[in-house]
Amino acid sequence: GQSSPEPFTVSRTLVADVIGKGVSVFAHDASSDARFSEGQSIIGQQVRSVMCVPLRTTDEILGALYVDSLSGAGRFNEPDLELLAAIGNQAGVAMHRVRLMGELERLLLDTIKAIAATIDARDGYTHRHSERVAALTGQLAREIGLTEPERQTAELSALLHDVGKIAVPDSILNKPGKLTPEEYAEMQKHPVHGARILENIQSATVKAVLPGVQYHHEKWDGSGYPEGLKGERIPFLGRLLC
């Protein structure tokens, strides 16, 4: 667009009006329309024609969609306004769905984090262990240059890495002495239990953490569990958490 001392002044006024009243604004010829007689950006940018429609859902207005044409371009007409209004309605519904999905995702993650905290509290030896591992994982992720989304995935994986302990009996989880070979074998199943529990959740965010949950006890030399993987055969998140 062209530069202006006060860019989008009229646009903001229009948008506020459209959002406040929930009605479309249309000016076939903005320069001769009394509503824009004092609009400096209309004059400075030589705006010829303006349309602004609400982005609406069934029960609320989320924003507005604004378009204009400059001098030398064609003027908008009623069919253009109808098309823009239809686009505004569709966009509003889409935005509403995205917002709802985001709220559901946050609720899901908060619930999972609460479960992880409960499991940590159940295991007196490792109280708040998952929180500490998540904090250290975040620091390590930054140190090795992971992106912000990658860091968030790594931290969430760390926070959830012991969720499979929910399937480990208390008699083993809180045994004061050394575990028997049979008890230790049962304890070694918790990474697989955790991955199987979480893989039932239909969320891309949760699915991304599964490698860390399932493989956080694998070791570079192959002496870890549950699969005894070696070196780079261990998924990256598993190596990072270990």
Side-chain angles (χ1 to χ4, degrees):
Q2 298 179 8
S3 61
S4 168
E6 297 179 274
F8 307 121
T9 302
V10 172
S11 303
R12 289 172 181 169
T13 303
L14 277 177
V15 167
D17 199 42
V18 168
I19 292 175
K21 297 178 180 178
V23 295
S24 299
V25 171
F26 172 51
H28 179 68
D29 187 352
S31 62
S32 62
D33 194 306
R35 292 173 296 179
F36 307 111
S37 59
E38 296 181 3
Q40 293 304 308
S41 70
I42 289 288
I43 298 169
Q45 296 181 25
Q46 298 181 313
V47 172
R48 188 175 194 187
S49 189
V50 174
M51 295 189 298
C52 189
V53 300
L55 297 171
R56 64 169 72 247
T57 67
T58 54
D59 56 357
E60 65 177 324
I61 296 171
L62 302 179
L65 184 60
Y66 170 93
V67 297
D68 60 31
S69 65
L70 303 181
S71 264
R75 292 188 175 93
F76 298 126
N77 52 35
E78 292 291 343
D80 293 327
L81 181 63
E82 291 176 9
L83 175 60
L84 191 66
I87 293 172
N89 288 336
Q90 291 295 321
V93 170
M95 289 171 63
H96 184 56
R97 286 176 178 169
V98 168
R99 189 172 68 179
L100 287 177
M101 289 174 65
E103 290 172 356
L104 287 173
E105 184 89 350
R106 284 192 294 274
L107 176 61
L108 170 64
L109 295 180
D110 287 345
T111 303
I112 293 172
K113 290 175 182 178
I115 292 170
T118 301
I119 293 166
D120 267 2
R122 177 172 169 249
D123 185 351
Y125 180 74
T126 58
H127 182 54
R128 301 194 73 175
H129 164 73
S130 295
E131 291 181 28
R132 293 194 295 272
V133 174
L136 290 170
T137 298
Q139 293 175 23
L140 183 57
R142 290 188 184 93
E143 187 68 25
I144 65 176
L146 296 189
T147 65
E148 185 64 16
E150 290 170 337
R151 182 193 62 76
Q152 291 175 1
T153 296
E155 283 192 21
L156 182 59
S157 187
L159 194 63
L160 301 178
H161 77 278
D162 271 345
V163 73
K165 285 185 177 180
I166 198 170
V168 178
D170 283 335
S171 59
I172 296 176
L173 198 61
N174 289 315
K175 184 177 179 179
K178 186 177 180 180
L179 299 179
T180 67
E182 293 77 19
E183 289 170 337
Y184 187 57
E186 191 64 35
M187 177 68 85
Q188 287 179 313
K189 295 177 183 178
H190 79 268
V192 175
H193 288 321
R196 287 178 177 170
I197 290 168
L198 295 174
E199 70 184 3
N200 291 304
I201 300 174
Q202 298 304 308
S203 162
T205 301
V206 174
K207 289 189 181 302
V209 311
L210 294 182
V213 173
Q214 184 162 348
Y215 298 110
H216 67 274
H217 276 294
E218 300 288 357
K219 295 184 179 179
W220 189 259
D221 64 2
S223 64
Y225 62 86
E227 297 180 26
L229 300 178
K230 287 185 177 182
E232 292 188 359
R233 291 190 63 193
I234 305 169
F236 174 74
L237 274 181
R239 285 179 265 150
L240 187 68
L241 267 62
C242 184

